[in-house]
């Protein structure tokens, strides 16, 4: 059997450890895209390589923790930012993740808004990982607040419910973190079970319970079924997982992804527990107020490229696939990607990002609201070989880039900049 452990309302739960008076109150954690990264005044970022993802950025601002955290989200007299985590008390008012803070405040005028504390989240996540590693032989950290474990040959099936129940109470006592736990024959069904165990509960799905549990669930509640697949399923009159399981031929005719999805829902497919998950990509993005000035936008591309270059050297990898995307006003989007198997240097990467931006900017009369750059397919994970063209010169530039990297690690990310950023 596989087990899935998820921290309930993690960011809020962490805030309550620091400030117990927040217990049983409507609390949310706010988030803002750190646009001060583009300021001409030096401002160092904190770089996080562990468990980054939704609402846990690779580059983030360290907020000064205040009694009145709402001040961190005020700009020109307006409340700005989105909601990253809501307590169950806040959800009772209809408040949901990704809602704007202004909307959330309208739903609940007494809502308590707290600034994020990424350092605390990473610390608590590490502690929970270490704790679980002592309790379960094979443990995988899937995200900052989510873990998988393999209980095969460790806990008898008949004892799994008692094991999970004891584990969640031990975690609460040891780390003050409320968790919910799901157990099932596969990791995908275990994750599904966890969502029905919340808050602070356990749910075990045995083979004889499988149909009764899985069949009534709506397709959109299964992890991996996004909006486009949901629309496709609904168009085929498939609304529940039970209906999906009855339409194997339909799913298989839609291609490999849908075929694998069917197997996951049906309990036929399972993934191994990966105790050491390596990062496969790295990226940076920022959302900002609508901006038309292409000169300023090019400057911002240089800034994002510098920050991302710093992270790439810190990871000690050589990416070979580069991706840049643009979000315009009026819901227009554009993206471009390119493959290059060459020694990585900051100067060449900076030039490449600018070229990608110029090519991707297909709506020159529209204002931009978001820029994203992503690098992937590292040579250590792929079979790509580096080009030998200009290898000697590139090696010199690589050495120069590493020297710059050492200066930044010692004195801060903003100590060395390109003139194009000024």
């Amino acid at each position: 059997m596989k087990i899935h452990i998820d921290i309930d309302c993690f960011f809020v739960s962490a805030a309550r450890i620091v400030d117990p008076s927040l217990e049983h109150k409507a609390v949310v954690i706010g988030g803002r895209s750190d646009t001060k990264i583009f300021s001409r005044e030096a401002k160092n970022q904190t770089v996080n390589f562990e468990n980054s993802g939704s609402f846990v950025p690779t580059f983030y601002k360290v907020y000064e923790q205040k009694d009145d955290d709402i001040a961190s989200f005020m700009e020109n007299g307006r409340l700005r930012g989105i909601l990253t985590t809501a307590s169950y008390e806040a959800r009772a008012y209809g408040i949901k993740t990704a809602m704007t803070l202004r909307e959330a405040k309208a739903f609940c005028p007494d809502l308590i808004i707290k600034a994020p504390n990424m350092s605390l989240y990473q610390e608590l996540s590490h502690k929970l990982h270490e704790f679980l590693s002592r309790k379960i032989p094979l443990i995988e950290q899937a995200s900052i607040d989510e873990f998988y474990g393999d209980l095969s040959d460790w806990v008898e099936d008949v004892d799994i419910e008692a094991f999970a129940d004891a584990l969640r109470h031990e975690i609460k006592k040891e780390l003050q973190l409320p968790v919910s736990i799901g157990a099932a024959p596969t990791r995908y069904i275990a994750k599904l079970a966890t969502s029905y165990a919340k808050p602070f509960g356990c749910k075990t799905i045995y083979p004889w319970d499988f149909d009764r549990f899985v069949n009534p669930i709506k397709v959109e509640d299964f992890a991996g079924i996004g909006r486009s697949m949901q629309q496709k399923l609904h168009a085929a009159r498939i609304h529940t997982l039970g209906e999906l399981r009855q339409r194997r031929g339909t799913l298989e005719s839609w291609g490999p992804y849908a075929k694998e999805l069917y197997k996951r829902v049906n309990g036929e497919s399972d993934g191994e527990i990966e105790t050491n998950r390596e990062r496969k990509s790295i990226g940076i993005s920022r959302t900002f107020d609508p901006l038309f000035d292409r000169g300023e936008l090019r400057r911002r591309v240089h800034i994002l490229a510098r920050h991302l270059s710093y992270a790439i050297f810190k990871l000690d990898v050589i990416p070979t696939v580069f991706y840049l995307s643009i979000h315009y006003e009026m819901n227009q989007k554009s993206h471009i990607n390119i493959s290059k198997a060459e020694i990585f240097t900051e100067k060449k990467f900076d030039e490449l990002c600018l070229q990608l931006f110029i090519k991707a900017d297909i709506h020159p009369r529209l204002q931009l609201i978001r820029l994203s750059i992503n690098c992937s397919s590292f040579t250590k994970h792929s079979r790509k070989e580096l080009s030998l063209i200009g290898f000697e010169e590139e090696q010199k530039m690589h050495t120069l880039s590493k020297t710059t990297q050492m200066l930044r690690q010692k004195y801060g990310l903003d100590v060395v900049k390109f003139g194009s950023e000024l």
Side-chain angles (χ1 to χ4, degrees):
M1 294 279 274
K2 297 290 172 62
I3 192 171
H4 177 255
I5 301 123
D6 195 9
I7 306 174
D8 298 333
C9 308
F10 180 31
F11 296 175
V12 170
S13 296
R16 285 171 168 169
I17 292 175
V18 176
D19 182 1
S21 71
L22 298 175
E23 286 285 352
H24 310 301
K25 293 181 181 178
V27 182
V28 298
I29 305 299
R32 287 197 64 186
S33 184
D34 181 17
T35 54
K36 289 185 179 178
I37 189 176
F38 300 125
S39 170
R40 284 180 168 80
E41 298 175 4
K43 178 188 176 302
N44 293 320
Q45 296 279 302
T46 296
V47 183
N48 158 50
F49 293 125
E50 299 181 51
N51 311 313
S52 56
S54 298
F55 306 124
V56 186
T58 301
F59 300 90
Y60 63 85
K61 173 184 176 182
V62 178
Y63 287 85
E64 182 183 349
Q65 301 303 306
K66 308 172 183 177
D67 293 333
D68 181 18
D69 283 24
I70 198 169
S72 304
F73 303 98
M74 296 301 294
E75 185 177 305
N76 299 323
R78 296 180 64 194
L79 186 60
R80 305 291 294 269
I82 63 166
L83 185 158
T84 62
T85 310
S87 68
Y88 285 99
E89 293 84 356
R91 295 180 197 185
Y93 288 90
I95 294 171
K96 298 178 181 178
T97 299
M99 180 180 283
T100 67
L101 294 178
R102 213 161 10 142
E103 289 175 318
K105 231 357 186 174
F107 277 94
C108 176
D110 295 327
L111 186 67
I112 299 171
I113 299 174
K114 302 294 290 182
N117 188 344
M118 294 298 172
S119 300
L120 174 63
Y121 307 152
Q122 294 291 346
E123 178 188 346
L124 291 172
S125 182
H126 274 299
K127 286 181 177 178
L128 180 54
H129 190 190
E130 290 174 2
F131 180 85
L132 291 172
S133 297
R134 297 196 299 268
K135 299 291 181 178
I136 304 170
L138 289 176
I139 194 76
E140 172 187 328
Q141 181 151 15
S143 69
I144 196 168
D145 61 350
E146 188 179 19
F147 302 82
Y148 290 95
D150 191 343
L151 301 182
S152 305
D153 301 320
W154 180 252
V155 180
E156 295 291 335
D157 285 359
V158 294
D159 298 324
I160 284 176
E161 284 184 79
F163 175 84
D165 187 60
L167 182 63
R168 72 184 171 105
H169 282 98
E170 282 185 77
I171 293 169
K172 188 71 170 71
K173 182 179 179 181
E174 184 91 8
L175 302 174
Q176 302 177 59
L177 288 171
V179 302
S180 293
I181 301 175
T186 72
R187 61 186 290 150
Y188 307 112
I189 303 303
K191 181 178 175 70
L192 187 62
T194 304
S195 61
Y196 285 84
K198 287 181 172 288
F200 194 53
C202 299
K203 192 166 186 66
T204 302
I205 308 302
Y206 292 104
W208 55 85
D209 287 330
F210 193 92
D211 293 350
R212 183 172 56 84
F213 171 68
V214 170
N215 288 352
I217 295 173
K218 294 178 180 179
V219 292
E220 53 265 35
D221 292 337
F222 190 85
I225 297 182
R227 186 173 298 176
S228 59
M229 177 57 75
Q230 177 188 327
Q231 292 171 347
K232 195 170 185 178
L233 290 166
H234 286 179
R237 297 184 179 180
I238 300 173
H239 299 276
T240 67
L241 297 182
E243 290 170 346
L244 186 153
R245 295 176 68 203
Q246 293 173 0
R247 301 280 293 277
R248 183 170 202 147
T250 301
L251 270 291
E252 290 184 348
S253 70
W254 290 350
Y257 172 73
K259 185 177 181 179
E260 170 62 19
L261 178 62
Y262 176 87
K263 290 182 178 179
R264 291 183 181 185
V265 172
N266 211 39
E268 299 174 17
S269 178
D270 194 14
E272 293 295 321
I273 299 299
E274 299 178 36
T275 54
N276 294 305
R277 298 182 61 175
E278 288 191 274
R279 179 183 281 273
K280 301 296 177 64
S281 66
I282 182 90
I284 186 170
S285 63
R286 285 296 183 272
T287 301
F288 38 82
D289 289 334
L291 179 63
F292 178 80
D293 186 343
R294 263 41 186 186
E296 171 61 18
L297 288 166
R298 287 193 292 272
R299 189 183 77 87
R300 295 187 177 195
V301 169
H302 289 306
I303 291 170
L304 294 179
R306 169 167 57 87
H307 282 72
L308 191 49
S309 173
Y310 176 82
I312 289 167
F313 273 104
K314 204 166 177 63
L315 285 172
D316 194 23
V317 294
I318 298 177
T320 59
V321 174
F322 306 88
Y323 176 94
L324 183 143
S325 69
I326 295 172
H327 285 217
Y328 298 90
E329 58 182 345
M330 299 165 58
N331 204 31
Q332 297 297 308
K333 300 176 184 178
S334 174
H335 69 269
I336 187 169
N337 62 71
I338 190 171
S339 295
K340 279 182 174 289
E342 299 173 349
I343 288 180
F344 184 85
T345 72
E346 182 176 353
K347 186 174 186 299
K348 179 168 277 191
F349 178 60
D350 177 76
E351 293 170 350
L352 175 63
C353 290
L354 184 59
Q355 291 168 11
L356 292 176
F357 170 73
I358 292 169
K359 289 180 181 178
D361 187 16
I362 59 175
H363 298 296
R365 295 185 179 182
L366 293 182
Q367 299 188 97
L368 273 71
I369 59 173
R370 185 176 179 84
L371 279 169
S372 303
I373 306 172
N374 188 274
C375 301
S376 61
S377 193
F378 304 145
T379 50
K380 64 193 294 186
H381 300 139
S382 69
R383 297 181 179 180
K384 293 182 181 178
E385 295 182 357
L386 298 179
S387 170
L388 295 178
I389 299 174
F391 186 85
E392 192 172 322
E393 187 62 31
E394 293 301 327
Q395 187 68 51
K396 292 178 183 177
M397 291 302 297
H398 181 75
T399 302
L400 177 61
S401 295
K402 294 198 83 169
T403 302
T404 303
Q405 180 77 1
M406 287 189 287
L407 286 170
R408 287 178 178 150
Q409 286 182 327
K410 187 172 182 179
Y411 298 108
L413 215 159
D414 296 283
V415 71
V416 180
K417 301 179 182 180
F418 282 115
S420 51
E421 292 185 36
L422 304 175

